[in-house]
Amino acid sequence: MQDYNQNRNGRSLRKNCSHMAAQNVAFMYSLYESCKLNDLNFFDYINDVLPRLTKGENDYKSLIPCNYKSLSSKEEQKKVA
């Protein structure tokens, strides 16, 4: 019987999972710091960007924190114009 911490090739799943988790945490921390540098609320940013990505947003450059405009600010600009 195979050890639950080993995959079929004998590599440790725990090691691979911890490496992937570390990469995910590093990405999220980097995103958080980018939001801080651009005076964005991280929670509001994530709550706006994730649904837009799942709905099929293709303009990825506009979603990075330095270029980001929330949907509410875009709607306000349309009302003014």
Side-chain angles (χ1 to χ4, degrees):
M1 188 164 155
Q2 188 173 343
D3 182 16
Y4 75 94
N5 286 326
Q6 300 275 328
N7 66 12
R8 291 182 187 175
N9 299 327
R11 295 185 187 124
S12 172
L13 290 176
R14 188 175 296 168
K15 183 176 182 179
N16 288 340
C17 289
S18 65
H19 180 69
M20 289 186 328
Q23 287 180 330
N24 290 338
V25 168
F27 170 76
M28 291 303 288
Y29 183 74
S30 175
L31 193 58
Y32 174 76
E33 289 298 318
S34 294
C35 285
K36 278 179 34 179
L37 287 172
N38 290 287
D39 296 321
L40 296 172
N41 181 313
F42 181 71
F43 183 75
D44 293 339
Y45 171 79
I46 292 295
N47 281 333
D48 184 39
V49 169
L50 289 180
R52 287 167 65 177
L53 287 171
T54 58
K55 290 178 184 173
E57 176 76 42
N58 292 328
D59 187 12
Y60 302 121
K61 288 184 179 181
S62 70
L63 298 179
I64 59 175
C66 63
N67 298 331
Y68 173 74
K69 298 278 189 246
S70 69
L71 283 179
S72 61
S73 66
K74 286 182 180 181
E75 291 170 0
E76 289 173 8
Q77 288 176 355
K78 287 180 183 178
K79 288 178 184 177
V80 172

